[in-house]
Amino acid sequence: MGPGRVLERDSQLAALASYADEARAGDGRMVLVGGEAGIGKSTLVEELERGLPCAAWWWGACDGLSTPRALGPLSDIAVQAGGELRAVCAADAARDVRFDALTRILRTSDDLRVVVIEDVHWADDATLDMLRFVGRRIRDARVLFIVTYRDDALGADEPLRITLGDLATNRSTRRVKLGPLSEHAVRELAAGTELEPAELYRLTGGSPFLLTEVLATGTLGVPGSARDVLLARAAGLTPDARSALDHAALIGTHISPALLRAASGASAENLDELLASGILVADGDQLRFRHEIARQAIQEQIPPHHASTLHRNVLDALLAAGCGDEAQLAFHADVAGDDALVLEHAPRAARAAAAVASHREAAAQLERAVRYADSADVATRAGLLDEYAEELALVERWDDATTARVAAIELWHEAGNPLREGRSESRLAAVMWRLCRASDSVAASRRARELLEPLGPTTELAELYSVGADAGDDAEAKADYIERAVEIAGELDQPDLTIRTLNGVGYLASGRLGDYEIPMRRALRIALEHGLQQQAGRSYANLTEYLMTDFRLAEAEPMFLEALAYCDEHDVSTYGNCVRGHYALALLDQGRWGEALHEAQTVLATRASPINRLTSLIAAGMVNARRGFPAAEPFLAEAEAVAVADDEPLYLSMARVACAEAAWLAGDADAAQAQLALIRPRLTELEAKQKAAVIAWEKRLGVPTDETPVLAPYAMQVAGPPRRAAETWEKLGMPYHAALALGDSDDEADLREALSRLDAMSPPAAHLVRRRMRKLGMRAIPVGVRASTRADPDGLTRREREVLELVRRNLTNEQIAERLVISVKTVDHHVSSVLAKLGATSRRQVSA
């Protein structure tokens, strides 16, 4: 369907044109164009280009290779943009330098600039980070930034899905959805042919790509798949042209004619034949397949034994041309089965990807290298496994990281290298901690210490000491190790090690209620100055956690948002999930329960490690428990199991205090006391804040205690009077805690105020206040939640039940608002409440 035959896309084209007008006026737009494969996304954008001849257009695309180029689309754009952007990309500058150069060019443009990134479903991590980076910074630019992607078969925890969710929160973001053509449109396209429209519609399902291919053959006799249509067309090529086509399919999305001729031996006439067939089209000074589905169809029918020969030809041509794309060379060397070249280029490709925070791609390249490493020496194999494990840890693939670390340890032992063996044992201990395998973590730390201590004050030993080595619950020993790490770090003066030890010092200070901000902010500053992304993520995560546990919520909010932006943009998802979980707890404390649940569910929808799931499980469980929803139980049961497996007093206390509160809200004070009794003996001097919470809950439950909490609001709650404690919690911005403090009172005015606050916030807590009022002999107690809501099996109100039924019919919030004659914002609130009460993480779960 060439120019002039773009049917049933008027509304989408009009939307794109309006976004272009807004961008031209200085209100930048990022437009997400989604649809299934072959639905016409590229055709739509090309039609827009014909309607905007005066705009400057830059095009980039993601490759459909097994391991894509890191920042490939940005490299495409840099060639077209020239100037500073081309220079920094050619120089392999740090990714932030490249991102800054791109946004600087976009923001300084006086005329409309249209940037198109196609096929983002194949994007590497760094490209997804680039989209986040740009999306936050184009609001005041004359830029229309168009992103196309396939939206079919996207999992909830896939990086693209998460990125799209992040982009959708930006005010500059718009969405355009493409669906199949209607039977009426198919009938119009079939006019003048001998094809029966109804059968054509049945065969193609309204897919513009399939319609184009079937109409080009002029017959319905071919099978109903793009593969058969394309192979039928390719069958008419001469043998040399067909060989060139096979080579082209293996080269990728964009094909250099010179490279294709060198690899396949094709002549200029052979390339002309491919263009005449319509399978390939000219694209500037390059060639490309008319449709990506076409490339895949050709590639898939090449026999494996023949494919290795073709990849060898492409590899030789790339090497002869002086290709510097390590990822491309590693890919072709892999399929060609060239061990030496894989080991040469895959690690380089991995390091290049890691340098721009494409950690999934780095892990894939290192996995490729490890597969070919049997012929390498022991030290090389062990080093590759260590690198591989490091990248796996950053993308939360902890089981695979365990396997890689164990294999590396065995090889370092075989090589007789106790320094590297000890370092790998130390890193294995961290992996075991993430997986909440407490005894294995301590054992690995002990083995590391026994290997490293005889070698003197090394970087590796200081790194081990900075996290307390194998001290376990021994707070004094843990502090001693951290202090020794500081001494070694001072002698060695290495930024990475300095940051690690400062984090250890911050941990001690926070646990002892000291000043953690000075060491933590210094650690963060050094990490940012030196571009140490992993260490910056760790420092952000720890600093935000300490601010949250100090109830410095107003101060913490900007830091949480800064930390999340950094972790998302730099793809340090391990620390991003950690920050987000603690942010969920901070929002819980502030009474922003819908937001807390959203942040928690974002983490729980990923493959986060057990220790990273813990805070989100607690946040989700407590939102549901305080609201009185049965969905609380599985969240809190998993949180307790994770904490028990981790076996650290800090995390045990977090989970058990939450479970104690949930039991109390459910009316089981004995179970609540049992939870507190389990954690009480485990608390050390480094869990002063957690001990304060335990003492305060013991007081509420009537457990005799002579101790006074060291944390001010808890101390006030224990000492009383309740009204003063409530005012203290109120000043900290914690309304639920304030209401509970009033509910501890014997004063009727205090209890009535507590009831009025808790009825809207926490029906179970309100019920406990009513019971207290009755026990004290008070009369005329207000009635609580409606009987219809209490009778609903899921605790849904009548309106929420109506919304649920419409969600199950897959109606959008806009459609639900129109059907129920309420605002979209009100529907948003109802949907969030329904998800919370059902314990669902998505509308898809509700529909299912």
Side-chain angles (χ1 to χ4, degrees):
M1 295 184 298
R5 304 303 314 270
V6 180
L7 300 179
E8 297 187 336
R9 298 294 188 249
D10 290 347
S11 62
Q12 291 91 344
L13 278 170
L16 287 175
S18 70
Y19 301 149
D21 290 340
E22 292 166 357
R24 185 181 285 110
D27 199 1
R29 290 285 178 262
M30 176 171 281
V31 185
L32 311 177
V33 180
E36 65 185 39
I39 206 65
K41 299 179 290 293
S42 296
T43 301
L44 178 74
V45 180
E46 289 165 1
E47 186 69 11
L48 176 69
E49 184 179 21
R50 282 187 281 272
L52 295 174
C54 296
W57 287 69
W58 293 339
W59 294 74
C62 301
D63 297 318
L65 303 177
S66 61
T67 308
R69 298 176 296 158
L71 288 178
L74 183 56
S75 298
D76 295 340
I77 292 169
V79 172
Q80 302 160 60
E84 178 193 9
L85 182 58
R86 184 169 187 171
V88 297
C89 288
D92 287 333
R95 48 178 250 156
D96 288 358
V97 175
R98 303 188 213 184
F99 293 176
D100 286 337
L102 173 62
T103 53
R104 193 155 41 246
I105 292 173
L106 296 179
R107 293 179 64 84
T108 56
S109 177
D110 294 329
D111 300 314
L112 176 62
R113 172 78 61 191
V114 184
V115 181
V116 183
I117 306 291
E118 295 192 278
D119 298 327
V120 174
H121 45 276
W122 284 319
D124 62 289
D125 290 342
T127 295
L128 296 179
D129 293 342
M130 180 188 73
L131 296 180
R132 291 190 185 98
F133 188 93
V134 172
R136 291 188 176 104
R137 291 164 175 83
I138 62 171
R139 276 184 54 191
D140 302 324
R142 292 183 172 84
V143 178
L144 180 64
F145 206 106
I146 301 175
V147 175
T148 73
Y149 64 97
R150 294 183 191 170
D151 60 2
D152 49 337
L154 268 184
D157 62 346
E158 286 191 31
L160 175 58
R161 175 77 71 188
I162 296 169
T163 299
L164 295 174
D166 291 341
L167 292 173
T169 64
N170 297 331
R171 287 182 55 190
S172 58
T173 300
R174 300 292 184 271
R175 288 182 181 268
V176 171
K177 167 73 175 175
L178 294 181
L181 300 179
S182 68
E183 188 169 357
H184 174 78
V186 173
R187 185 176 301 277
E188 184 177 341
L189 289 169
T193 73
E194 297 182 359
L195 303 178
E196 203 286 309
E199 181 63 15
L200 180 61
Y201 181 71
R202 185 199 65 77
L203 180 68
T204 64
S207 164
F209 166 70
L210 290 178
L211 282 164
T212 300
E213 298 304 320
V214 173
L215 288 169
T217 67
T219 175
L220 289 172
V222 295
S225 71
R227 179 185 298 106
D228 294 331
V229 172
L230 287 158
L231 294 182
R233 184 177 296 182
L237 297 172
T238 62
D240 287 345
R242 179 54 195 271
S243 174
L245 181 64
D246 288 348
H247 281 86
L250 300 184
I251 289 173
T253 306
H254 292 84
I255 307 147
S256 161
L259 175 63
L260 182 56
R261 291 177 65 178
S264 66
S267 65
E269 290 74 18
N270 297 144
L271 301 191
D272 289 339
E273 186 180 348
L274 291 178
L275 291 171
S277 74
I279 300 176
L280 293 186
V281 297
D283 186 2
D285 60 354
Q286 294 195 319
L287 305 176
R288 66 173 172 84
F289 281 83
R290 183 178 296 277
H291 301 285
E292 170 57 25
I293 294 177
R295 188 190 71 80
Q296 292 183 6
I298 298 299
Q299 180 184 18
E300 288 169 3
Q301 56 78 45
I302 301 173
H305 65 280
H306 187 44
S308 62
T309 302
L310 299 187
H311 278 286
R312 178 83 247 181
N313 294 341
V314 175
L315 177 61
D316 290 342
L318 288 169
L319 291 170
C323 174
D325 190 331
E326 301 289 353
Q328 196 173 12
L329 293 170
F331 167 65
H332 293 295
D334 182 4
V335 187
D338 192 318
D339 298 29
L341 287 178
V342 169
L343 286 175
E344 179 182 349
H345 296 291
R348 291 180 189 169
R351 290 158 198 155
V356 294
S358 283
H359 297 296
R360 281 181 301 140
E361 286 65 40
Q365 292 290 1
L366 287 165
E367 186 274 333
R368 173 178 279 152
V370 166
R371 281 192 285 109
Y372 284 86
D374 288 345
S375 60
D377 61 80
V378 172
T380 298
R381 287 154 56 200
L384 286 173
L385 285 163
D386 270 342
E387 280 192 79
Y388 182 39
E390 203 70 23
E391 292 300 324
L392 291 170
L394 290 175
V395 295
E396 300 251 37
R397 288 175 56 187
W398 298 103
D399 289 333
D400 292 334
T402 301
T403 302
R405 285 291 183 204
V406 170
I409 289 166
E410 292 173 354
L411 290 172
W412 287 124
H413 184 75
E414 181 183 340
N417 191 328
L419 182 67
R420 293 301 300 270
E421 183 184 353
R423 179 181 183 273
S424 294
E425 287 279 16
S426 177
R427 298 293 174 92
L428 176 63
V431 175
M432 295 294 99
W433 178 78
R434 290 278 174 188
L435 290 171
C436 293
R437 291 168 56 177
S439 59
D440 290 334
S441 180
V442 172
S445 290
R446 184 174 299 116
R447 291 193 299 270
R449 184 170 56 78
E450 291 169 352
L451 285 162
L452 294 173
E453 284 183 335
L455 303 178
T458 61
T459 299
E460 291 76 9
L461 182 62
E463 179 184 319
L464 175 66
Y465 283 169
S466 72
V467 293
D470 54 328
D473 285 6
D474 189 337
E476 186 176 341
K478 190 177 293 186
D480 182 58
Y481 279 132
I482 292 172
E483 288 164 6
R484 288 160 70 184
V486 172
E487 292 176 8
I488 299 173
E491 296 173 6
L492 299 178
D493 192 24
Q494 298 170 358
D496 185 272
L497 183 57
T498 298
I499 295 165
R500 289 178 183 273
T501 55
L502 286 170
N503 271 269
V505 171
Y507 162 74
L508 291 178
S510 175
R512 294 166 169 170
L513 303 182
D515 186 354
Y516 54 80
E517 273 202 273
I518 291 177
M520 290 310 309
R521 289 191 182 275
R522 184 182 169 213
L524 180 58
R525 183 176 67 254
I526 296 172
L528 295 175
E529 287 174 353
H530 287 81
L532 300 174
Q533 298 168 8
Q534 183 180 5
Q535 297 300 343
R538 173 183 281 115
S539 301
Y540 269 126
N542 287 335
L543 177 56
T544 50
E545 176 186 354
Y546 302 154
L547 289 170
M548 183 272 296
T549 55
D550 262 2
F551 306 128
R552 295 167 60 180
L553 305 180
E555 295 175 63
E557 178 95 12
M559 181 57 69
F560 270 117
L561 297 179
E562 178 184 324
L564 288 172
Y566 183 91
C567 291
D568 288 345
E569 289 179 359
H570 293 81
D571 198 44
V572 282
S573 57
T574 290
Y575 298 108
N577 284 334
C578 183
V579 171
R580 189 163 267 113
H582 284 106
Y583 186 39
L585 291 177
L587 293 167
L588 177 75
D589 280 341
Q590 294 176 73
R592 296 158 61 182
W593 293 352
E595 295 173 76
L597 192 62
H598 170 76
E599 297 296 339
Q601 288 174 332
T602 298
V603 174
L604 297 177
T606 71
R607 296 186 180 94
S609 64
I611 201 68
N612 266 355
R613 286 176 63 85
L614 180 60
T615 48
S616 293
L617 288 166
I618 291 172
M622 293 317 301
V623 168
N624 283 283
R626 290 174 182 178
R627 286 173 166 170
F629 303 158
E633 195 279 331
F635 287 121
L636 293 177
E638 184 182 346
E640 184 177 15
V642 167
V644 168
D646 176 69
D647 199 39
E648 284 188 64
L650 173 64
Y651 296 107
L652 278 168
S653 62
M654 290 173 63
R656 294 210 180 279
V657 168
C659 290
E661 181 184 339
W664 175 73
L665 288 169
D668 192 343
D670 290 341
Q673 290 181 25
Q675 286 284 356
L676 299 178
L678 284 171
I679 188 55
R680 197 68 151 83
R682 295 290 303 276
L683 298 174
T684 74
E685 64 168 296
L686 297 179
E687 290 83 45
K689 300 175 186 179
Q690 290 70 34
K691 187 175 183 180
V694 170
I695 295 171
W697 270 101
E698 287 175 340
K699 169 76 171 180
R700 177 167 287 140
L701 293 167
V703 178
T705 178
D706 296 328
E707 291 188 80
T708 300
V710 292
L711 210 57
Y714 288 125
M716 190 67 66
Q717 186 174 311
V718 169
R723 169 68 63 175
R724 190 175 172 192
E727 290 171 354
T728 302
W729 288 116
E730 201 72 59
K731 288 177 182 177
L732 292 171
M734 301 173 66
Y736 173 75
H737 289 71
L740 289 190
L742 288 171
D744 292 334
S745 177
D746 290 338
D747 180 80
E748 184 169 354
D750 287 347
L751 290 171
R752 290 189 180 278
E753 184 176 342
L755 196 59
S756 67
R757 295 188 187 191
L758 291 171
D759 263 336
M761 193 183 307
S762 175
H767 172 73
L768 292 174
V769 172
R770 284 188 175 82
R771 191 166 68 182
R772 184 175 182 83
M773 293 172 75
R774 285 193 290 270
K775 186 176 179 180
L776 292 170
M778 297 175 190
R779 299 172 178 266
I781 301 171
V783 178
V785 178
R786 292 180 179 177
S788 60
T789 303
R790 289 198 303 270
D792 188 277
D794 299 306
L796 301 181
T797 66
R798 179 186 58 79
R799 179 64 89 186
E800 287 169 347
R801 179 62 63 180
E802 291 175 340
V803 168
L804 170 61
E805 293 306 316
L806 296 177
V807 167
R808 290 176 61 186
R809 296 182 203 172
N810 294 317
L811 270 66
T812 66
N813 284 8
E814 290 78 6
Q815 292 169 326
I816 294 173
E818 184 178 353
R819 182 76 62 88
L820 299 180
V821 196
I822 55 179
S823 72
V824 175
K825 187 173 183 179
T826 299
V827 175
D828 290 341
H829 288 309
H830 285 316
V831 170
S832 295
S833 180
V834 168
L835 290 174
K837 290 182 179 182
L838 297 180
T841 59
S842 68
R843 298 168 73 102
R844 184 179 298 177
Q845 282 188 350
V846 171
S847 298

